[in-house]
Amino acid sequence: MSTDSSALPVLTAKDFASDQELRWCPRCGDYSILAQMKKVLPKLGIPKENFVFVSGIGCSSRFPYYMNTYGFHGIHGRAPALATGVKVSRPDLSVWVITGDGDALSIGGNHLMHAIRRNIDLKIILFNNQIYGLTKGQYSPTSPLGSRTKSTPMGSVDNPLTPLCVAIGSEATFVARAVDVDIKGLVNTLERAAAHKGTAFVEVYQDCNVFNPGAFEYATDKKLKEDNLIYLEHGKPLIFGKDGQKGIRLNEMKPEIVELGKGISEDDLLFHDEKAEEPSLAFLLSRMRHPEFPEPVGVFRDVEKPVYDDRVNAQVDAAIQDKGEGDLEALFNSGDTWTVT
C-alpha cells in the first residue's frame, strides 16, 4: 500500500471506536481482542477510510459494528468470499476477516480453505472458544472429544479440528496463534499479520465465560501458563517452563519433552524456523496440544509467495492494454439476444 503516512492525521484507538453499544457478555474475551485491534490500526500508517472489516455469523462477527471503519456483516461462513471480492476489486484497501471456530470451520470451511490457498492479501482473525456461543452452547468443530454441551449431552464423539492445521494444510503463508488476555503477544501478532503480504491467518484463544468457561485456563493462568505454553521466536530453541529448563527436541520425526542440564543442551533442541518454505515443521508444531505437550504461541510461519489479487489485477491490466477498455452494453447485446415488445 503506497500511502504517504507522513501526510496522514495522527490516529488513536478512539478514532476506531464506533458509537455502537458493545453487546458481548461481561468478561468475554472478545473485548480484549477488540481493544488490541484498536491499538494496532493507528500504527499502520493507513487512512481510516481504507480499512474494511468483514464478518460472518457468531459472537465475534459483531466486530464490524464496533469498528469505526467500513465493514460487512455477512452471512454464515461466507466472510472469506465477501472479503475476496472486496480485495480483488479494491486492492488498495486493508481487508480484515473476523470469524469464529463455528463460522469458519463448519459451514465456512470451504470458503476459508480456498481463500487461504489462493494467498489473497487478507488478514483472517479466527476467535476460537471451542463452542457455539451465539446460539447458546452447542459443540463446535474445535470442541474437544467428549465435550458435554446442549447438543452433545452424552459427550461429543467428533474428532476436533485444529485451526492452524487447516491453515497450514491449505498452504497459508502466515500462520500465528495468540491468547486473548496476553496483551503484548496479541498486539505483536496482529502487527505482524498486518505487515504480511498475502493471507495472514491468526487463531486467538478466546474465553467464552458463559458457555465454555476456563477452556484455556492452562494458557491464561499465571501459575500454569509457563509450563503449558512455548513462545515461538524465529531462530531460537523451543524452551519452556518456569525456570526455562525444559525443551522440545525431535526423536526421529516425533517431538519429545526433555530437561536441560542432564546431558542435554540447547543445541540438542528443535529450533524454530518461521521462514522455512517447507511447512512440515510448522505443521508439527501445530499438532502439539495440551496436555501432552506445551502449546506453541506466536508466529508459526511467515513466508513470501505470489499474491492472488496482484495476479488477477495484472491479468486485467494486460487484457485492457491488449484489447482496450471493455464495453458492457456491447457485451450484453452480443451473441443471441431477444427483443421483448
Side-chain angles (χ1 to χ4, degrees), residues 88-147:
V88 171
S89 61
R90 287 290 305 274
D92 58 310
L93 300 179
S94 178
V95 183
W96 296 69
V97 174
I98 304 297
T99 186
D101 48 304
D103 183 57
L105 297 172
S106 55
I107 193 170
N110 183 54
H111 297 283
L112 178 71
M113 176 183 69
H114 290 296
I116 291 173
R117 62 110 176 162
R118 287 176 175 135
N119 198 32
I120 302 164
D121 191 18
L122 302 175
K123 318 308 167 192
I124 302 174
I125 315 300
L126 187 149
F127 297 25
N128 183 8
N129 56 20
Q130 298 183 343
I131 201 76
Y132 276 102
L134 186 68
T135 50
K136 307 301 184 283
Q138 299 84 3
Y139 82 115
S140 85
T142 61
S143 296
L145 196 66
S147 295

Side-chain angles (χ1 to χ4, degrees), residues 33 80 118 166 204 206 248 258 287 307 318 332:
I33 304 172
R118 287 176 175 135
V166 175
V204 183
Q206 176 258 320
I248 301 294
V258 295
R287 297 287 297 168
V307 177
F332 279 153

Side-chain angles (χ1 to χ4, degrees), residues 113-190:
M113 176 183 69
H114 290 296
I116 291 173
R117 62 110 176 162
R118 287 176 175 135
N119 198 32
I120 302 164
D121 191 18
L122 302 175
K123 318 308 167 192
I124 302 174
I125 315 300
L126 187 149
F127 297 25
N128 183 8
N129 56 20
Q130 298 183 343
I131 201 76
Y132 276 102
L134 186 68
T135 50
K136 307 301 184 283
Q138 299 84 3
Y139 82 115
S140 85
T142 61
S143 296
L145 196 66
S147 295
R148 292 180 177 271
T149 73
K150 290 181 178 180
S151 55
T152 55
M154 297 179 66
S156 168
V157 295
D158 283 15
N159 290 314
L161 284 172
T162 300
L164 297 189
C165 291
V166 175
I168 295 168
S170 300
E171 301 289 340
T173 53
F174 182 96
V175 181
R177 176 187 286 146
V179 181
D180 56 2
V181 295
D182 178 6
I183 306 305
K184 182 179 179 181
L186 180 53
V187 167
N188 179 67
T189 300
L190 292 175

Side-chain angles (χ1 to χ4, degrees), residues 22-78:
L22 297 181
R23 302 197 59 185
W24 289 316
C25 301
R27 296 187 295 109
C28 174
D30 290 2
Y31 287 100
S32 176
I33 304 172
L34 175 66
Q36 307 334 310
M37 182 68 76
K38 289 189 289 190
K39 287 181 186 176
V40 167
L41 298 191
K43 303 177 184 179
L44 303 182
I46 299 173
K48 189 171 69 170
E49 62 270 19
N50 280 12
F51 286 102
V52 180
F53 282 82
V54 183
S55 67
I57 296 296
C59 296
S60 65
S61 292
R62 297 189 62 80
F63 209 91
Y65 290 106
Y66 306 144
M67 298 296 300
N68 188 17
T69 64
Y70 288 107
F72 288 89
H73 191 172
I75 59 177
H76 208 188
R78 272 60 175 189

Side-chain angles (χ1 to χ4, degrees), residues 189-215:
T189 300
L190 292 175
E191 289 176 345
R192 291 280 309 272
H196 180 73
K197 181 68 172 176
T199 302
F201 181 88
V202 178
E203 174 191 27
V204 183
Y205 282 168
Q206 176 258 320
D207 185 53
C208 176
N209 61 297
V210 174
F211 296 108
N212 197 25

